[in-house]
Amino acid sequence: MKISRLFHLFVVILGCSSPKVELTKANKIHLENAAIFEVLENKLDSLLKISTNETQNNDLQNLNHELKELEENMVEVPGFEHEHHHEGHNHSHAAPINYTDDQILAIQKEVKSELLKIKTKIENFK
């Protein structure tokens, strides 16, 4: 009987202590997204300082708005904490209770996809 309880306790502890594969992948992508955000924010700030005309300034402001809107819709991956090195810190740290692990992973992938689109626009900015 004692062995059975110990085995059950071990299984419960093991199950609770290791994050699920989907959440581990989601967190990896989330950290990549945070790094991309920081680079893009810095690049946009630099471009805004050197923009030469109103049209360029408006285009950069639109890109900045897209970036901020995307950042506001980001969510933390439950069970993972990280430091933030970018300004603003606008995304939510609330656990997305209504999302499954697969949905959290899909959200992180979608955010990354949108970030890469914005990155391309910034890199091609003239």
Side-chain angles (χ1 to χ4, degrees):
M1 186 72 165
K2 286 183 181 180
I3 293 175
S4 174
R5 284 189 205 167
L6 287 174
F7 179 74
H8 178 71
L9 181 62
F10 176 76
V11 169
V12 169
I13 291 171
L14 183 62
C16 294
S17 65
S18 61
K20 295 182 179 178
V21 173
E22 293 86 4
L23 292 181
T24 301
K25 288 179 184 178
N27 186 60
K28 180 179 183 279
I29 294 169
H30 179 79
L31 294 175
E32 292 169 358
N33 290 345
I36 294 169
F37 268 114
E38 185 174 355
V39 168
L40 295 180
E41 286 172 338
N42 291 336
K43 181 67 174 175
L44 270 173
D45 286 344
S46 295
L47 287 171
L48 281 165
K49 289 176 184 172
I50 62 170
S51 65
T52 58
N53 63 50
E54 190 174 332
T55 302
Q56 285 181 333
N57 193 39
N58 288 338
D59 290 344
L60 290 170
Q61 290 294 342
N62 288 336
L63 286 172
N64 194 38
H65 177 74
E66 285 181 46
L67 189 62
K68 296 296 181 196
E69 189 174 294
L70 187 58
E71 185 176 24
E72 288 173 6
N73 291 313
M74 279 183 64
V75 294
E76 285 285 327
V77 178
F80 295 88
E81 293 296 325
H82 69 276
E83 292 182 22
H84 297 274
H85 299 287
H86 57 97
E87 291 182 25
H89 192 82
N90 293 327
H91 64 274
S92 171
H93 283 263
I97 297 170
N98 296 327
Y99 297 135
T100 66
D101 295 352
D102 289 331
Q103 289 171 324
I104 293 169
L105 178 58
I107 290 168
Q108 299 302 329
K109 287 179 179 179
E110 182 63 25
V111 167
K112 186 167 190 177
S113 173
E114 292 301 313
L115 277 173
L116 294 177
K117 289 176 188 176
I118 293 171
K119 180 181 179 191
T120 300
K121 290 177 186 177
I122 291 171
E123 288 173 347
N124 293 328
F125 184 77
K126 294 178 183 179

